[in-house]
Amino acid sequence: MLAMNNTENTRGSLPHGRPLQTDFNDGRDYPRLGSFSFRRGTLTDNQEARWEEHWPHYGKVLADEVIDLPEWFGRDAETIVEIGSGTGTSTAAMAPLEADTNIIAVELYRPGLAKLLGAVVRDELTNIRMVRGDGVEVLQRMFQPNSLQGVRIFFPDPWPKARHNKRRIIQSGTLHLIAQRLKPGGILHIATDHADYAEWIDELVTVEPELEYLGWPEDQSDIPILTDRQITTKFEAKGLDKEHTIREYLWRKK
């Protein structure tokens, strides 16, 4: 079990030491984090004050706790989980267009979550919540099977060195886990601007039998969740500046 005291959870702090990693032991590949390290980053005084006041309502930390979604959001609605939300620019931009959908942003980097929290409070985005933790472990520990309408992974870290490829989040095991958490008809949406990572994903598009690969169809009218990301993220803009090709992938849970 993952130890987490109430003070750590309230303040959004991660447990000391190396986080536990689930031993799936099912013959599939899952991302391995190796030695855990975090980018340094401090909050401004205003961000710190806002965090202290609002994180207990809007945020949770990775724990062995299945989230009660209606209780947390105060309503019954479809839920989308965004893995690796970064600073939450696109998350916040899309939220008003998905007012009837619950959005949960999952991110390790506290300053990124603090920026998203600022947008949530400033713009009164009532349909966003946040979880601080590794995306695979959050999916495994905190969501019930067949509970999500969508999962999004936008511009994940490409881990370009071959010896680090095993750390990429898109693996056969991750796709299987996502398929388990999606409701029938639920959508997985991935975007990358890294050519080698796109080739990696291309090799995996049909590896999970519970996911029907849709490619990137011109007609998206029958896809029940928003697929237009509405805004160019920081990482996407850097890729476009380098004339990278943006690849988008969609799957539907069978």
Side-chain angles (χ1 to χ4, degrees):
M1 299 289 285
L2 186 68
M4 171 63 64
N5 62 48
N6 289 334
T7 300
E8 286 173 327
N9 192 37
T10 299
R11 289 184 52 83
S13 301
L14 293 167
H16 297 293
R18 178 171 173 165
L20 296 178
Q21 294 185 25
T22 301
D23 183 5
F24 290 95
N25 196 30
D26 61 4
R28 298 180 178 87
D29 295 323
Y30 291 84
R32 295 293 89 186
L33 297 178
S35 57
F36 221 62
S37 61
F38 298 102
R39 291 174 289 172
R40 295 289 180 181
T42 58
L43 306 189
T44 66
D45 289 344
N46 285 340
Q47 285 178 325
E48 195 70 59
R50 188 183 300 115
W51 184 279
E52 291 291 329
E53 180 179 356
H54 295 286
W55 176 263
H57 175 71
Y58 289 104
K60 294 183 182 291
V61 175
L62 170 63
D64 283 312
E65 167 205 347
V66 175
I67 298 172
D68 184 331
L69 295 171
E71 189 277 332
W72 200 17
F73 283 89
R75 65 177 185 176
D76 286 306
E78 300 288 10
T79 300
I80 295 173
V81 171
E82 182 177 346
I83 304 295
S85 56
T87 59
T89 304
S90 61
T91 312
M94 291 189 295
L97 304 173
E98 300 178 298
D100 294 333
T101 303
N102 297 335
I103 309 296
I104 297 179
V106 179
E107 175 60 52
L108 278 165
Y109 188 46
R110 184 169 176 254
L113 288 168
K115 288 184 179 180
L116 177 55
L117 181 60
V120 167
V121 173
R122 180 181 62 253
D123 298 332
E124 299 181 344
L125 302 174
T126 60
N127 60 327
I128 292 180
R129 300 290 186 271
M130 289 156 276
V131 178
R132 188 178 183 201
D134 170 65
V136 171
E137 294 300 326
V138 170
L139 284 172
Q140 170 68 10
R141 297 167 183 267
M142 303 188 76
F143 294 101
Q144 294 180 347
N146 302 306
S147 63
L148 303 176
Q149 185 60 40
V151 173
R152 295 171 175 158
I153 306 176
F154 294 158
F155 304 96
D157 192 326
W159 291 106
K161 295 181 179 179
R163 68 178 184 272
H164 292 153
N165 285 173
K166 63 184 179 181
R167 299 186 183 185
R168 290 174 168 174
I169 190 170
I170 309 304
Q171 307 275 352
S172 60
T174 312
L175 292 171
H176 178 68
L177 175 60
I178 291 170
Q180 289 183 313
R181 296 298 177 261
L182 287 173
K183 296 179 177 181
I187 295 293
L188 167 61
H189 181 184
I190 296 174
T192 184
D193 72 312
H194 193 275
D196 180 61
Y197 206 166
E199 291 180 4
W200 173 278
I201 298 171
D202 287 341
E203 294 294 321
L204 295 171
V205 293
T206 60
V207 72
E208 173 49 49
E210 289 191 70
L211 293 176
E212 174 193 3
Y213 180 53
L214 304 176
W216 187 246
E218 291 185 11
D219 181 7
Q220 299 166 15
S221 60
D222 66 336
I223 297 173
I225 62 175
L226 182 68
T227 55
D228 183 350
R229 290 180 285 105
Q230 300 297 322
I231 190 168
T232 300
T233 69
K234 179 178 69 174
F235 293 105
E236 183 177 6
K238 288 181 178 180
L240 292 172
D241 287 343
K242 298 175 182 178
E243 299 185 346
H244 290 182
T245 299
I246 307 300
R247 291 287 305 277
E248 311 255 11
Y249 299 83
L250 291 176
W251 292 260
R252 180 189 284 116
K253 170 76 173 286
K254 295 179 181 178

